[in-house]
């Protein structure tokens, strides 16, 4: 059977035409007016495999579609064969019908069912399976693209080459807050720009100019990115990308929160930068993962380096830590990183550029992840070198004498305590303690002044150190008293021999102020073989032995004997005798003249107390005044001095009226000045003696005044109301009270003799004296210079305008009878 039936039985149709029709890939079925098959081509059997072998001339159209309906149902492509058949026959009755249907072989076909003029029909069917697949893929892609566009956070729009809207998503209209009327294909871009410009979303300025500028930027051939703040306060990031064939795509992103975060971050970074730049501390930030450390410029400067001289390696820090501190610092960091310590804090030494070590206080705090593992630690570094030095100095000062640098009593007793402990462990560890007092120190101090007295103490301390062996300890206990602990001294004779060696060392003259000064020492020796338990006990016994040495004539050494505990004179004995001195009439007054440098005549006297002990002879003020201060007896003693000095001045003013009237200066101790009844005591002395208050001058030290400046000012006002004069004693050696001078109602400044005696050799002291004199003149105060001993000093004082002076050049302190003889001479200097 032929694969095709000729289209007509006419002999004029040749075989070439049939072959051409068979070559067409579309199926051709031709039916006559009675709807019977009259012709078909070879593609029909391929298109409808269910008709294979059944396509014959005369086959009814109904039978063909019935067979197709049954086959489609069998293959599950349709559920209702009758319904499908009825629908197909209805379409077949139309003049022209187009339909797409699945074929039993699973492929898709598009059929054109067309009526012919003679009443017949032609049914042309084409395989559109591939086309259908492409169409479905395109539909799926379009749907996916649309879903994607609608689900992204950015607004998107696209314009064609004429800049008309061709696609968009809802987010675009939401972000720009555009009316729905603009959501149409073909909306001109310029219309959207005009709307936004009129609303002010495109910034200030002329609307037309803003529209032109925006349109020109959008339609330029270059891609662009910019941010725009609209009228609702939203910050939009706009990205425009031209398309290759014209037009453009634009995306809009709401970056308001990002902008705020960036601003906050920028402000935070600026604050951090300012804090880092302005902080006195160095800052560091250690990334534990990369083991890199950020060091601030200040951190580097603190170690003497420039910004580019230290990199970010951890070794930059740890290689500079003092070798003795590295292990401790590492342990402290590890303790914080593993959670043992709540923070990292360490004081350690770090090497400076100049190879010295600086003490640093380093603090840090770790940053941890969700599992509490530290991944970063940051902190600060503070230079505490000065604080450490101050602490070390404070410790040193607490245990050492400020003048000589020797151990003080506290440290000395601790060393003795340690020696006693060694002796208890080993009886062979014997030692001795020497208590030493300079015999001529009081003479030197009064003759050459306090400055040279201090020089003698320092020089004696150095000689003692130089003549002791390694391990021995020398301490200054106060004043001119020293204590020495001699190690490895096995018996008392050996201790005495060593003390004699020290005597010889001290006997060599000292040169002070250009003069040779000789001194000796009284020494008491106590040996540890006497089974001491407390260090205070052996020191006490050595002191008792020293007092016995003084009683025996000084300049000698005496070993302690238990019998001394009941016979030697100690400060306690001095205190006891001092309490009885006034009752026994042992106290006397000496007077030192005060000379006017204007005319060279005596204008007054300073009253000085002296103690003439009936058994021990003259006891200098340096021995009994401190005890009187400490025990409070100075108040009673001061009242005695004031009353007797006033009485003596009344006598001399009557006896020498042509030279007078004379003023009397009486020293008030700090303890006297704090007495609430001071004014009453003074007025009682004046009333009792009849001395005019204007002839009395009370001398008070700077330290006593400044101890309570407000109360001092009030006390001085009470005295001034009585016309009593006030003098600041030892001015320049105590507190720096220049700023208080105008607040105190004072009359006179007394320049300490330590400045006066060194004027010739020390220009600095001369300038101090000159400054005080000028200051006093400006404040309308009198000035008295103490310690004048040479004509050169007198000439210098006159040259700088000093008003008054006293010192050995004029007279030493004299008894009342000696003063009477001096006044009778009526001398002029």
């Amino acid at each position: 059977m032929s694969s095709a039936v000729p289209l007509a039985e006419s002999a004029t149709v040749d075989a070439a035409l049939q072959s051409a029709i068979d070559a067409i890939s579309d199926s051709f079925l031709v039916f006559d007016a009675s709807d019977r098959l009259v012709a078909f081509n070879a593609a029909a059997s391929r298109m409808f495999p269910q008709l294979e072998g059944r396509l014959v001339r005369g086959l009814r159209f109904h039978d063909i579609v019935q067979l197709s309906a049954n086959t489609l149902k069998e293959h599950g492509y349709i559920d209702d064969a009758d319904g499908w058949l009825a629908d197909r026959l209805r379409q077949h009755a139309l003049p022209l019908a187009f339909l797409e249907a699945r074929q039993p072989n699973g492929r898709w076909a598009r059929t054109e069912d067309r009526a012919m003029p003679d009443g017949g029909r032609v049914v042309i069917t084409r395989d559109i399976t591939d086309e259908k697949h492409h169409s479905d893929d395109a539909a799926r892609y379009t749907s996916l693209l649309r879903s994607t566009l609608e689900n992204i956070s950015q607004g998107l729009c696209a314009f064609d080459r004429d800049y008309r809207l061709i696609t968009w998503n809802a987010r675009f209209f939401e972000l720009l807050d555009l009316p729905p009327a603009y959501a149409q294909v073909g909306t001109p871009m310029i219309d959207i720009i005009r709307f936004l410009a009129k609303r002010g979303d495109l910034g200030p300025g002329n609307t037309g100019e803003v529209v032109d500028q925006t349109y020109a930027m959008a339609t330029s051939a270059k891609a662009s990115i910019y941010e725009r703040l609209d009228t609702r306060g939203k910050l939009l990031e706009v990205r425009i990308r031209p398309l290759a064939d014209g037009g453009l795509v634009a995306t809009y992103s709401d970056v308001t929160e990002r902008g705020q975060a960036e601003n906050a971050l920028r402000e935070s970074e600026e604050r951090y930068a300012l804090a880092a730049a302005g902080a006195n501390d160095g800052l560091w930030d250690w990334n534990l993962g990369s083991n890199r450390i950020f060091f601030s410029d200040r951190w580097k400067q603190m170690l003497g380096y420039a910004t580019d001289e230290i990199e970010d390696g951890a070794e930059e820090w740890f290689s500079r830590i003092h070798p003795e501190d590295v292990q401790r610092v590492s342990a402290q960091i590890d303790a914080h990183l593993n959670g043992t310590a709540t923070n990292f804090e360490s004081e350690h030494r770090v090497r400076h550029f100049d190879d010295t070590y600086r003490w640093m206080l380093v603090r840090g705090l770790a940053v941890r992840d969700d599992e509490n593992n530290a991944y970063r630690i940051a902190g600060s570094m503070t230079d505490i070198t000065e604080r450490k030095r101050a602490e070390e100095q404070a410790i040193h000062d607490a245990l050492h004498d400020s003048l000589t640098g020797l151990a003080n009593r506290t440290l000395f007793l601790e060393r003795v305590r340690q020696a006693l402990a060694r002796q208890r462990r080993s009886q062979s560890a014997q030692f001795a303690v020497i208590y030493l007092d300079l015999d001529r120190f009081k003479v030197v101090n009064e003759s050459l002044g306090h400055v040279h007295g201090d020089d003698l103490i320092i020089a004696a301390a150095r000689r003692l150190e130089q003549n002791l062996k390694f391990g021995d300890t020398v301490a200054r206990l106060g004043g001119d008293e020293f204590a020495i602990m001699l190690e490895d001294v096995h018996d008392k004779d050996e201790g005495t021999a060593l003390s004699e060696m020290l005597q010889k060392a001290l006997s060599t003259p000292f040169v002070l102020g250009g003069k040779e000064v000789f001194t000796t020492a009284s020494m008491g020796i106590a040996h540890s073989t006497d089974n001491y338990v407390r260090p205070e006990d052996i020191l006490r016994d050595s002191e008792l032995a020293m007092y016995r040495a003084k009683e025996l004539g000084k300049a000698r050494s005496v070993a302690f004997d238990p019998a001394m505990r009941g016979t030697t004179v100690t400060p306690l004995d001095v205190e006891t005798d001092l309490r009885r001195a006034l009752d026994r009439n042992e106290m006397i007054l000496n007077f030192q003249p005060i000379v006017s440098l204007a005319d060279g005549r005596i204008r007054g006297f300073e009253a000085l107390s002296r103690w003439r002990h009936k058994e021990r002879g003259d006891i200098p003020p340096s021995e009994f005044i401190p005890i009187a201060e400490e025990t409070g007896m100075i108040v009673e003693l001061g009242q005695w001095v004031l009353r007797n000095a006033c009485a003596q001045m009344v006598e001399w003013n009557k006896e020498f009226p042509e030279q007078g009237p004379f003023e009397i200066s009486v020293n008030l101790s700090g303890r006297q000045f704090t007495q609430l009844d001071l004014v009453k005591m003074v007025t009682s002395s004046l009333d009792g003696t009849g001395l005019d208050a204007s002839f009395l001058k009370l001398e008070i030290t700077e330290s006593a005044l400044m101890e309570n400046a407000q109360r001092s000012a009030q006390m001085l006002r009470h005295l001034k109301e009585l016309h009593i004069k006030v003098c600041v004693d030892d001015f320049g050696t105590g507190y720096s009270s220049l700023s208080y001078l105008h607040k105190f109602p004072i009359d006179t400044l007394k320049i300490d003799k330590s400045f006066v005696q060194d004027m010739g050799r020390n220009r600095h002291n001369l300038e101090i004296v000159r400054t005080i004199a000028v200051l006093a003149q400006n404040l309308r105060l009198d000035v008295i210079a103490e310690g004048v001993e040479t004509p050169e000093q007198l000439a210098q004082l006159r040259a700088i305008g000093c008003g008054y002076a006293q010192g050995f050049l004029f007279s030493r302190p004299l008894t009342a009878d000696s003063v009477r003889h001096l006044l009778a001479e009526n001398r002029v200097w």
Side-chain angles (χ1 to χ4, degrees):
M1 180 176 174
S2 176
S3 63
V5 176
L7 292 173
E9 293 182 359
S10 172
T12 60
V13 179
D14 58 25
L17 178 59
Q18 181 64 48
S19 296
I21 296 302
D22 282 341
I24 298 174
S25 61
D26 292 347
S27 167
F28 282 83
L29 296 176
V30 183
F31 295 90
D32 60 13
S34 60
D35 218 14
R36 288 183 179 276
L37 182 65
V38 293
F40 61 93
N41 67 352
S45 295
R46 294 194 305 271
M47 186 68 68
F48 305 107
Q50 72 273 20
L51 300 178
E52 179 72 32
R54 296 183 181 183
L55 285 175
V56 294
R57 186 174 177 272
L59 185 64
R60 293 188 309 159
F61 178 79
H62 181 279
D63 295 336
I64 292 174
V65 294
Q66 178 70 63
L67 180 61
S68 295
N70 293 337
T71 304
L72 289 172
K73 184 175 182 181
E74 287 175 6
H75 287 81
Y77 291 122
I78 61 175
D79 295 328
D80 183 5
D82 293 339
W84 185 89
L85 176 62
D87 188 53
R88 179 69 185 89
L89 292 175
R90 180 182 58 75
Q91 292 172 332
H92 186 67
L94 297 174
L96 178 62
F98 292 95
L99 64 147
E100 291 181 1
R102 197 83 172 267
Q103 299 304 309
N105 61 0
R107 298 186 70 80
W108 282 88
R110 181 183 293 122
T111 299
E112 179 182 341
D113 193 342
R114 181 186 294 274
M116 294 186 295
D118 62 357
R121 296 188 77 89
V122 60
V123 178
I124 304 171
T125 304
R126 174 176 292 176
D127 189 324
I128 63 167
T129 302
D130 292 340
E131 180 184 336
K132 188 73 171 177
H133 287 166
H134 291 319
S135 177
D136 289 345
D137 288 344
R140 283 194 300 272
Y141 177 76
T142 302
S143 176
L144 177 62
L145 179 60
R146 174 53 56 184
S147 297
T148 301
L149 292 178
E150 293 301 338
N151 283 281
I152 63 175
S153 61
Q154 294 174 311
L156 181 142
C157 63
F159 295 87
D160 61 16
R161 66 179 61 194
D162 296 322
Y163 299 109
R164 293 180 178 276
L165 188 63
I166 55 176
T167 190
W168 65 90
N169 65 359
R171 183 64 172 159
F172 166 69
F173 278 85
E174 178 187 341
L175 287 177
L176 270 65
D177 193 22
L178 293 172
Y182 290 94
Q184 297 183 35
V185 173
T187 299
M189 180 199 298
I190 194 70
D191 291 350
I192 297 175
I193 293 175
R194 285 195 185 100
F195 175 81
L196 296 174
K198 288 179 181 178
R199 196 168 64 184
D201 285 350
L202 303 183
N206 180 273
T207 302
E209 293 178 358
V210 171
V211 170
D212 293 342
Q213 292 171 0
T214 305
Y215 186 78
M217 179 178 64
T219 58
S220 68
K222 296 181 179 179
S224 60
I225 302 174
Y226 62 92
E227 291 182 352
R228 191 181 77 207
L229 186 66
D230 66 16
T231 55
R232 296 169 296 163
K234 280 189 176 183
L235 183 66
L236 299 179
E237 180 187 78
V238 183
R239 293 173 177 261
I240 300 176
R241 181 178 296 277
L243 298 176
D245 58 350
L248 60 89
V249 174
T251 58
Y252 294 79
S253 303
D254 185 347
V255 294
T256 306
E257 292 185 0
R258 188 193 75 187
Q260 293 171 346
E262 289 175 349
N263 288 336
L265 178 60
R266 185 163 50 253
E267 291 176 1
S268 177
E269 290 174 344
E270 289 174 354
R271 283 194 297 270
Y272 176 82
L274 287 172
N280 191 45
D281 294 346
L283 305 180
W284 53 273
D285 190 341
W286 188 357
N287 185 321
L288 298 174
S290 63
N291 200 31
R292 314 310 292 176
I293 305 180
F294 161 77
F295 300 106
S296 71
D297 291 348
R298 177 58 181 153
W299 192 98
K300 301 171 186 177
Q301 291 168 5
M302 291 168 72
L303 297 180
Y305 291 90
T307 301
D308 58 352
E309 290 182 320
I310 288 184
E311 298 180 354
D312 60 354
E315 69 279 359
E316 296 282 11
W317 175 13
F318 283 89
S319 66
R320 290 180 170 84
I321 298 177
H322 194 286
E324 295 177 1
D325 298 341
V326 171
Q327 187 174 359
R328 174 171 53 85
V329 175
S330 298
Q332 290 169 328
I333 291 177
D334 291 342
H336 176 50
L337 294 181
N338 63 30
T340 305
T342 57
N343 66 307
F344 164 60
E345 183 169 326
S346 173
E347 292 183 1
H348 56 268
R349 291 161 288 180
V350 183
R351 189 177 68 254
H352 192 271
F353 176 78
D354 61 10
D355 283 335
T356 64
Y357 280 93
R358 308 293 172 90
W359 275 99
M360 298 293 177
L361 169 61
V362 182
R363 295 187 177 98
L365 196 63
V367 182
R368 303 179 184 275
D369 58 21
D370 294 338
E371 297 179 356
N372 204 36
N373 295 317
Y375 63 87
R376 177 182 172 193
I377 179 172
S380 63
M381 181 171 75
T382 307
D383 191 330
I384 58 170
T385 306
E386 292 305 319
R387 193 197 81 189
K388 277 289 186 181
R389 288 174 180 166
E391 290 175 354
E392 291 171 358
Q393 188 63 46
I395 294 173
H396 180 274
D397 292 346
L399 299 174
H400 292 81
D401 173 57
S402 59
L403 180 63
T404 63
L406 297 177
N408 62 11
R409 180 183 294 268
T410 301
L411 181 56
F412 183 79
L413 290 174
E414 178 59 29
R415 298 266 175 89
V416 174
R417 182 176 289 105
Q418 295 170 3
L420 289 172
R422 288 194 297 272
Q423 179 181 297
R424 284 191 288 272
R425 293 192 297 270
S426 173
Q427 286 299 315
S428 63
Q430 302 296 323
F431 65 94
V433 170
I434 297 176
Y435 201 107
L436 181 153
D437 182 271
L438 299 179
D439 294 324
R440 292 178 49 80
F441 177 72
K442 304 301 187 295
V443 175
V444 173
N445 207 34
E446 291 183 358
S447 302
L448 300 181
H450 296 297
V451 172
H452 293 310
D454 288 346
D455 291 342
L456 176 59
I457 294 293
I458 295 170
R462 300 292 82 84
R463 283 201 190 171
L464 291 175
E465 286 180 314
Q466 293 165 5
N467 287 275
L468 294 175
K469 65 180 181 298
F470 180 79
D472 293 344
T473 300
V474 58
R476 182 184 178 216
L477 304 182
D480 59 341
E481 296 179 340
F482 298 86
I484 302 166
M485 184 176 72
L486 303 173
E487 299 275 10
D488 300 323
V489 176
H490 301 94
D491 55 44
K492 294 182 180 180
D493 291 339
E494 185 178 354
T496 302
L498 288 170
S499 68
E500 295 298 336
M501 178 195 68
L502 294 176
Q503 286 281 8
K504 292 179 181 179
L506 293 174
S507 65
T508 304
F510 297 90
V511 178
L512 305 176
K515 298 180 180 180
E516 283 192 344
V517 175
F518 293 86
T519 187
T520 57
S522 297
M523 302 184 193
I525 310 163
H527 199 275
S528 63
T529 53
D530 289 339
N531 298 321
Y532 290 100
V533 176
R534 300 189 314 149
E536 292 84 359
D537 294 338
I538 190 171
L539 182 64
R540 175 205 62 204
D541 287 351
S542 64
E543 183 182 14
L544 290 174
M546 183 273 294
Y547 285 125
R548 175 55 57 89
K550 281 190 174 294
E551 290 176 358
L552 295 175
K554 304 180 181 179
R556 66 186 64 210
S557 302
V558 173
F560 172 74
D561 187 306
M564 294 178 184
R565 290 179 182 151
T567 60
T568 303
V569 177
T570 67
L572 182 61
D573 300 323
V574 175
E575 177 185 343
T576 303
D577 288 349
L578 182 58
R579 293 185 180 278
R580 302 172 183 170
L582 292 176
D583 296 336
R584 296 175 176 176
N585 294 322
E586 293 179 352
M587 302 304 299
I588 61 172
L589 283 181
N590 279 184
F591 301 88
Q592 186 171 33
I594 298 174
V595 176
S596 169
L597 299 189
D599 58 11
R601 294 185 177 276
I602 297 174
R603 292 302 175 208
F605 298 88
E606 180 179 2
L608 303 168
S609 60
R610 296 292 185 265
W611 184 8
R612 186 162 294 166
H613 196 282
K614 290 184 178 179
E615 297 175 0
R616 299 173 54 210
D618 290 343
I619 300 178
S622 57
E623 286 191 23
F624 70 84
I625 292 296
I627 295 176
E629 285 272 10
E630 184 178 352
T631 60
M633 293 175 58
I634 193 69
V635 176
E636 183 180 357
L637 179 60
Q639 187 170 4
W640 177 86
V641 171
L642 180 62
R643 177 177 289 271
N644 284 273
C646 290
Q648 187 62 71
M649 202 53 50
V650 170
E651 290 184 16
W652 290 338
N653 281 335
K654 289 180 180 179
E655 190 172 351
F656 303 96
E658 69 284 356
Q659 298 181 38
F662 302 113
E663 289 182 353
I664 184 66
S665 295
V666 178
N667 290 283
L668 286 182
S669 70
R671 188 153 187 168
Q672 284 177 280
F673 194 59
T674 60
Q675 295 297 308
L676 297 177
D677 60 349
L678 173 63
V679 175
K680 181 179 179 181
M681 181 196 76
V682 173
T683 54
S684 174
S685 297
L686 292 173
D687 293 341
T689 60
L691 181 67
D692 190 313
S694 62
F695 299 152
L696 174 61
K697 181 177 289 184
L698 298 178
E699 295 191 5
I700 306 165
T701 64
E702 281 187 278
S703 300
L705 282 176
M706 296 305 300
E707 189 171 344
N708 188 331
Q710 185 175 359
R711 185 181 179 283
S712 296
Q714 183 179 5
M715 181 68 76
L716 294 181
R717 280 194 294 272
H718 290 324
L719 294 172
K720 290 295 292 181
E721 288 172 358
L722 300 173
H723 305 292
I724 298 169
K725 294 184 175 68
V726 177
C727 173
V728 177
D729 194 13
D730 298 337
F731 186 76
T733 63
Y735 292 76
S736 180
S737 57
L738 296 178
S739 60
Y740 288 89
L741 284 179
H742 68 282
K743 297 182 180 180
F744 292 140
I746 58 179
D747 302 278
T748 305
L749 299 179
K750 181 174 279 191
I751 304 174
D752 187 74
K753 61 184 178 182
S754 61
F755 298 119
V756 174
Q757 292 172 344
D758 247 5
M759 285 192 307
R761 292 180 295 106
N762 189 334
R763 185 167 184 80
H764 179 67
N765 278 5
L766 176 60
E767 290 304 318
I768 291 176
V769 175
R770 187 195 311 277
T771 301
I772 296 174
V774 172
L775 174 68
Q777 291 169 9
N778 291 336
L779 295 177
R780 302 186 183 224
L781 302 177
D782 291 332
V783 179
I784 302 175
E786 286 187 303
V788 180
E789 298 179 357
T790 67
E792 291 79 13
Q793 293 169 354
L794 177 60
Q796 286 178 316
L797 292 172
R798 278 189 165 130
I800 63 178
C802 184
Y804 299 89
Q806 67 183 97
F808 290 176
L809 176 64
F810 309 111
S811 173
R812 291 178 178 274
L814 303 172
T815 63
D817 289 339
S818 298
V819 169
R820 193 171 278 106
H821 288 110
L822 179 63
L823 290 176
E825 294 176 7
N826 197 16
R827 292 187 58 184
V828 177
W829 287 272

